């Protein structure tokens, strides 16, 4: 049930989900993923991985009344992180009063968790762990903790079978925009790592795990650099990357050529930010350039304005009004639940799991009562059940219809912004289009540069 709920959350939160790679789905496996979003990463792993997972979670979440039932249902294993132990002043004082050395009591804090993980692996369970140890907001891998390797080696040591194997399944999670509703998600299942002996070195295991994850991700210095390169990719190919590996290969190949001209990169960034400020997408500019004649430009808009005004716009507004209240309540309840900034976002998801279904049931009840008041005595007991089920389905369908028209069928608002720019600010329109043509042509020229020029480009950029 929890996996189905997590899958539904993923499909609602993300517009497109792209899965690649062939994961190991057998028993006795540690699933390891990068941790760039404390809110969504566990839900993504739980809902999209083809194996039932037991997550390892920080022990502070087990004290929250909203998260505790969910963690217990998922058979989560609590673990004490170092930064959490440093905050447990009372626990530290008790250990010092007992005369326990600091190194010893910190080492003993997770002995039970390690034993639980070891027993679970030997029983054939699949364990979910994030080797970075903490969630972060950078589009690159942080330093890994060695706990995952030590857990695997401990399980092999305690196994009664001489041929015991423990598998490590790296998973690369890449978000287009990690905090934006209805963005894209690329998820790659890397090549599994097989551990056959407890004599393997922890450093070698962690090095292999990190290299495997790095090959499945597109890493950048910051999110601004990632957005710039995505903009370059879209100009070059007219679409978004199909996977993080495709994006990484493109950036690694083209980065030396583009870094040779930092002025051009600055122009690319300026163009991207200008289009973002105007709420105009690159493909809309391409459309506007294709329909250069004003007659065809406005004729196409006029043709589609009726669908927008009569169908799409009412559905979008009705959908937003129905679901705005629970959306705001989730944030309010999360702020009241905890003061820990690292937990607030998680609390929003936790409150949404009960608040949104409750709100849907309330809307269904109100719709049913309104129908009964409008047609008193028109249906019998069987009709009442049918009417209530129809009412319960109405609100979610309205939400889906609003999203569907906003994302797939209703291109009018974006093109109307383009038309207003062209109609009321013709000089700005000409400047935007001139700059766009020069930058897009420059991108194509650099990507299609002959191989013999590549060495010269690398020498100029310092990538020889």
């Amino acid at each position: 049930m929890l996996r189905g709920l997590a899958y539904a959350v993923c499909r609602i939160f993300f517009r497109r989900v792209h899965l690649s790679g062939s994961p190991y789905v057998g028993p006795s496996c540690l699933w390891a993923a990068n941790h760039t979003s404390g809110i969504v990463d566990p839900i993504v792993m739980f809902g999209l991985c083809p194996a039932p997972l037991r997550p390892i979670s920080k022990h502070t979440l087990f004290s929250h009344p909203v998260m505790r039932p969910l963690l217990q249902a998922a058979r989560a294993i609590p673990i004490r992180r170092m930064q959490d132990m440093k905050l447990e002043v009372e626990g530290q004082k008790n250990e010092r009063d007992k005369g326990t050395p600091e190194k010893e009591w910190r080492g003993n804090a997770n002995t039970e968790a390690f034993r639980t993980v070891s027993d679970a692996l030997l029983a054939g369970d699949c364990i979910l762990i994030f080797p970075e140890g903490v969630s972060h907001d950078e589009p690159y891998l942080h330093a890994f903790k060695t706990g995952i390797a030590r857990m695997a080696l401990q399980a092999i040591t305690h196994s009664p079978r001489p041929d015991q194997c423990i598998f490590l399944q790296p998973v690369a999670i890449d978000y287009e925009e990690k905090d934006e509703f209805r963005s894209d998600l690329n998820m790659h299942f890397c090549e599994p790592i097989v551990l056959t002996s407890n004599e393997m070195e922890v450093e070698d295991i962690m090095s292999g795990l990190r290299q495997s994850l790095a090959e499945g991700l597109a890493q950048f210095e910051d999110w601004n650099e990632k957005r710039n390169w995505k903009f370059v990719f879209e100009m070059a190919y007219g679409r978004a990357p199909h996977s993080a590996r495709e994006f990484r290969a493109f950036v690694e190949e083209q980065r030396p050529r583009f870094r040779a001209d930092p002025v051009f990169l600055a122009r690319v960034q300026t163009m991207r930010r200008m289009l973002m400020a105007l709420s105009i997408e690159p493909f809309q500019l391409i459309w506007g350039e294709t329909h250069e004649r004003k007659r065809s430009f406005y004729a196409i808009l006029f043709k589609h304005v009726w669908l927008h005004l009569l169908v799409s716009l009412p559905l979008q507004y009705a959908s937003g009004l129905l679901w705005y209240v629970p959306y705001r309540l989730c944030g309010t309840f999360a702020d009241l639940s905890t003061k820990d900034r690292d937990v607030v976002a998680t609390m929003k998801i936790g409150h949404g799991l009960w608040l949104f279904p409750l709100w849907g049931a309330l809307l269904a009840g109100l719709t049913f009562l309104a129908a009964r008041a409008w047609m008193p005595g028109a249906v019998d007991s069987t009709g009442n059940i049918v009417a209530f089920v129809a009412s319960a389905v109405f609100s979610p369908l309205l939400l889906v219809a609003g999203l569907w028209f906003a994302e797939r069928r209703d291109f009018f608002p974006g093109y109307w912004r383009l038309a207003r720019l062209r109609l009321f600010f013709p000089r700005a329109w000409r400047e935007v289009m001139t700059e766009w043509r020069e930058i897009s042509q420059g991108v194509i020229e650099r990507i299609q540069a002959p191989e013999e020029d590549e060495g010269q480009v690398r020498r100029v950029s310092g990538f020889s």
Side-chain angles (χ1 to χ4, degrees), residues 196-208:
T196 58
S197 171
N198 60 357
E199 296 181 0
M200 300 180 69
E201 295 292 336
V202 172
E203 292 76 12
D204 294 339
I205 297 174
M206 298 308 301
S207 176

Side-chain angles (χ1 to χ4, degrees), residues 443-462:
V443 167
I444 299 300
E445 289 175 355
R446 283 162 176 78
I447 291 177
Q448 296 178 349
E451 293 296 330
E452 55 267 21
D453 295 343
E454 195 168 319
Q456 178 65 25
V457 171
R458 288 181 177 175
R459 284 193 291 273
V460 172
S461 61

Side-chain angles (χ1 to χ4, degrees), residues 241-293:
H242 287 174
S243 68
R245 301 181 77 197
E246 179 190 27
F247 192 25
R248 176 182 59 83
F250 171 81
V251 173
E252 288 181 352
E253 179 183 358
Q254 303 299 334
R255 181 178 273 145
R257 298 178 178 180
F258 281 82
R259 281 188 172 176
D261 191 352
V263 175
F264 182 76
L265 275 180
R267 290 178 64 188
V268 170
Q269 176 172 288
T270 302
M271 171 59 70
R272 178 182 67 80
R273 290 181 172 177
M274 179 173 61
L275 294 183
M276 185 172 61
L278 295 172
S279 298
I280 295 175
E281 299 292 336
F283 67 85
Q284 293 169 351
L285 276 182
I286 296 173
W287 179 86
E289 188 177 9
T290 303
H291 300 84
E292 188 65 33
R293 293 185 300 108

Side-chain angles (χ1 to χ4, degrees), residues 27-236:
S28 303
C29 181
L30 282 161
W31 290 67
N34 55 306
H35 204 12
T36 54
S37 179
I39 318 169
V40 187
D41 289 341
I43 297 177
V44 164
M45 292 293 294
F46 216 66
L48 300 179
C49 290
L53 304 178
R54 291 187 63 183
I56 291 180
S57 178
K58 60 181 182 179
H59 75 287
T60 53
L61 289 178
F62 284 81
S63 62
H64 291 282
V66 177
M67 295 303 299
R68 188 190 305 117
L70 297 175
L71 293 173
Q72 291 174 345
R75 300 168 62 209
I77 302 172
I79 194 167
R80 293 175 182 268
R81 303 181 304 175
M82 186 63 70
Q83 58 266 41
D84 295 328
M85 289 188 287
K86 290 178 180 179
L87 299 176
E88 294 179 351
V89 180
E90 188 65 28
Q92 294 183 39
K93 182 178 181 300
N94 294 336
E95 294 295 337
R96 292 193 183 98
D97 291 343
K98 296 177 183 178
T100 307
E102 181 176 352
K103 184 177 181 180
E104 182 178 341
W105 69 259
R106 286 189 174 181
N108 293 336
N110 277 322
T111 300
E112 183 179 352
F114 272 60
R115 187 183 301 114
T116 304
V117 171
S118 177
D119 295 341
L121 288 173
L122 295 179
D125 290 344
C126 295
I127 307 298
L128 169 61
I129 186 171
F130 298 99
E132 291 170 292
V134 293
S135 61
H136 57 86
D137 192 35
E138 289 83 18
Y140 55 82
L141 292 174
H142 275 205
F144 283 7
K145 311 296 183 184
T146 60
I148 184 171
R150 292 185 286 120
M151 289 174 181
L153 295 177
Q154 179 175 313
I156 296 177
T157 302
H158 292 167
S159 174
R161 296 171 48 190
D163 59 343
Q164 179 68 54
C165 294
I166 300 296
F167 292 82
L168 300 183
Q169 175 59 67
V171 182
I173 304 174
D174 184 81
Y175 302 106
E176 180 189 26
E177 291 289 344
K178 71 169 199 172
D179 295 328
E180 182 179 328
F181 181 63
R182 302 298 290 173
S183 67
D184 292 352
L185 165 66
N186 295 314
M187 190 170 176
H188 179 68
F189 300 107
C190 307
E191 189 72 20
I193 301 173
V194 185
L195 306 182
T196 58
S197 171
N198 60 357
E199 296 181 0
M200 300 180 69
E201 295 292 336
V202 172
E203 292 76 12
D204 294 339
I205 297 174
M206 298 308 301
S207 176
L209 177 61
R210 184 178 184 87
Q211 181 180 355
S212 182
L213 275 175
E215 291 176 354
L217 288 170
Q219 300 189 69
F220 300 91
E221 295 179 0
D222 52 43
W223 284 95
N224 190 53
E225 184 191 15
K226 181 176 182 178
R227 296 183 183 105
N228 288 339
W229 276 106
K230 184 174 180 295
F231 186 62
V232 170
F233 187 98
E234 290 175 345
M235 281 194 290

